[in-house]
Amino acid sequence: MPLPFPLAEEPDAHMAEKGRLLFAGPVDFVKGVVAMNGLPEADRLEVCFAGRSNVGKSSLINALTGRKGIARASNTPGRTQEINYFTLGEERYLVDLPGYGYANAPLSVVEKWQRLLKQYLQGRQTLRRAFVLIDSRHGVKAVDEEIMTLLDSAAVTFQVVMTKADKVKEKDRQKVLDQVRGALSKHPAAFPELVLTSSEKGDGIATLRAIIAGLD
């Protein structure tokens, strides 16, 4: 019986080069969106990145694009309070969603972010895949379950990307992976493959680039 939610294999030379070329092209900040009427025209395929605060989302986006400051990494959870749009080559958008699980943010701010997030996920026809980032040290938490359930209801395919894999010892990694696989088995919108990454070491970056480049 095949393993549920296996780790994504490294891409072949063709797809690795396709992914490299996509992210070597123009990656420019377009705008930060605070309301649905501010979204750019839906004239190209887009992928989005979602994750709880401090999961390493900005660091991963910077590693993918090879540009240190494209997404603002911060030690202050919840700094990204907008839907941030970036061009990815000539035919894609890369979308950085607001971090969630921000315990210190005012309730009114949290509710505003959640409302915007829900509207975006349910109403963006050009959104091809959401990448939900999960910290390899902690696995799936309750706040992650909330975003996954939202993606289920919006019928948006999402793929889990494990971050900070270099921070976990090999003997502890399997336990976390088992927990994540068990959680994902309850979500119909989950893509049946995990990506293990380390922004610091560069692990999994070529694989994730190739996955994004292969979407159509």
Side-chain angles (χ1 to χ4, degrees), residues 14-208:
H14 170 71
M15 287 309 300
E17 180 64 4
K18 189 174 180 179
R20 187 193 71 79
L21 288 173
L22 174 63
F23 282 87
V27 182
D28 297 305
F29 178 69
V30 178
K31 66 191 303 190
V33 178
V34 295
M36 286 294 285
N37 59 11
L39 291 175
E41 188 177 350
D43 59 356
R44 62 184 76 183
L45 177 154
E46 59 194 65
V47 295
C48 70
F49 286 79
R52 64 176 178 267
S53 298
N54 229 16
V55 75
K57 181 157 55 68
S58 296
S59 297
L60 181 66
I61 291 172
N62 290 338
L64 281 169
T65 60
R67 296 157 173 86
K68 287 186 177 179
I70 194 80
R72 298 175 301 173
S74 172
N75 290 324
T76 305
R79 182 177 174 185
T80 305
Q81 300 179 19
E82 304 170 331
I83 295 178
N84 288 316
Y85 265 81
F86 302 87
T87 56
L88 184 55
E90 301 294 338
E91 299 178 350
R92 281 169 167 70
Y93 281 129
L94 185 155
V95 185
D96 182 11
L97 297 180
Y100 54 84
Y102 16 71
N104 297 324
L107 184 60
S108 60
V109 173
V110 173
E111 288 176 344
K112 180 183 177 184
W113 293 348
Q114 289 175 335
R115 191 161 54 246
L116 178 60
L117 200 59
K118 185 178 291 187
Q119 290 173 337
Y120 167 74
L121 293 173
Q122 292 177 334
R124 194 66 170 173
Q125 297 299 319
T126 46
L127 176 60
R128 198 58 78 245
R129 186 169 300 178
F131 292 95
V132 177
L133 277 50
I134 301 294
D135 193 319
S136 294
R137 300 170 298 180
H138 307 304
V140 174
K141 292 193 171 184
V143 287
D144 301 314
E145 288 283 0
E146 290 177 22
I147 192 78
M148 291 175 187
T149 300
L150 179 57
L151 287 158
D152 288 337
S153 64
V156 173
T157 300
F158 70 88
Q159 186 164 6
V160 161
V161 177
M162 307 290 292
T163 62
K164 307 183 183 182
D166 58 306
K167 308 293 185 188
V168 182
K169 293 179 181 177
E170 192 72 41
K171 64 181 179 67
D172 299 323
R173 182 180 296 169
Q174 194 58 51
K175 184 178 178 182
V176 176
L177 286 174
D178 288 344
Q179 187 263 355
V180 171
R181 286 168 174 144
L184 289 179
S185 66
K186 305 166 189 170
H187 293 281
F191 188 80
E193 198 175 66
L194 304 175
V195 186
L196 204 60
T197 67
S198 165
S199 299
E200 281 190 21
K201 306 287 187 182
D203 299 342
I205 299 302
T207 301
L208 189 50

